[in-house]
Amino acid sequence: STSPCGWVVDLRTNTGGNPSAMLAAIGPILGEGPAGLFVYPDGATRTWAYRAGQVLIDQETAAVVAGPDYRLRQSEPPVALLTGRTTASAGETIVVAFRQRPNTRSFGQPTGGLTTAIDSFELSDGAMLLLSVATFADRTGQVYDGPMALDKIVADRDPDAAMQAALDWLQNQPACAKP
């Protein structure tokens, strides 16, 4: 049997959702440890991390993978991220989580620019108010406020161009080099 030498993570149509569930799903490829921060207006931060099938926010479990946690045969494999203008919100959480990760490169178009954490507040009449309460920062503390730039911008006229650029890059990585 063969095992993959690298991964393509296609976030081009990821418009958001539950970032903790997404981080739990992608965790084995992302790797263990801190992956990013929520940065609040008062300067406070909360760290998000992946460890053994769990997503932790300041050491509190936010999501758990059903069943045993998956382990890759090769640690820190090369990862090519594909993004586009509709990559937004929780989709951008994944992009931020891969920032500053070794063996990672991004391809496509800049993201949508909704790099904020949302919190809900119940009003007296039972209605819910959703507000942006924090911005995303990568594992080094670099804050992302707006659309995220990529390593390689690929014209969006051809949907296969970003995938091809990612595959070309992967094929030139040492882990994927043909003997």
Side-chain angles (χ1 to χ4, degrees):
S1 87
T2 62
S3 60
C5 65
W7 298 82
V8 174
V9 178
D10 191 347
L11 301 167
R12 291 177 290 183
T13 59
N14 187 330
T15 59
N18 182 335
S20 295
M22 290 179 199
L23 286 166
I26 203 74
I29 297 169
L30 176 65
E32 298 215 349
L37 304 163
F38 295 125
V39 180
Y40 294 86
D42 65 0
T45 61
R46 295 187 74 200
T47 301
W48 18 288
Y50 175 80
R51 185 177 67 223
Q54 296 182 69
V55 173
L56 305 170
I57 299 178
D58 282 349
Q59 303 304 317
E60 291 183 31
T61 302
V64 178
V65 175
D69 63 307
Y70 182 80
R71 305 262 180 194
L72 298 181
R73 290 185 182 151
Q74 172 193 350
S75 64
E76 291 189 348
V79 174
L81 294 176
L82 302 181
T83 68
R85 290 180 176 93
T86 58
T87 307
S89 192
E92 289 172 299
T93 303
I94 304 306
V95 177
V96 170
F98 276 95
R99 290 291 165 116
Q100 309 301 326
R101 178 197 175 274
N103 299 323
T104 304
R105 196 162 157 102
S106 54
F107 302 86
Q109 292 289 306
T111 65
L114 301 175
T115 54
T116 58
I118 306 296
D119 205 351
S120 60
F121 300 90
E122 187 172 354
L123 303 177
S124 61
D125 65 356
M128 297 298 287
L129 178 64
L130 301 176
L131 295 175
S132 295
V133 295
T135 55
F136 302 155
D138 66 26
R139 61 189 74 206
T140 68
Q142 169 69 45
V143 173
Y144 295 91
D145 184 17
M148 288 186 278
L150 305 175
D151 295 312
K152 182 168 177 76
I153 300 291
V154 179
D156 60 357
R157 293 180 303 282
D158 179 1
D160 296 328
M163 180 65 79
Q164 190 58 56
L167 293 173
D168 291 346
W169 176 77
L170 281 172
Q171 290 172 348
N172 287 306
Q173 299 312 295
C176 297
K178 301 286 184 213

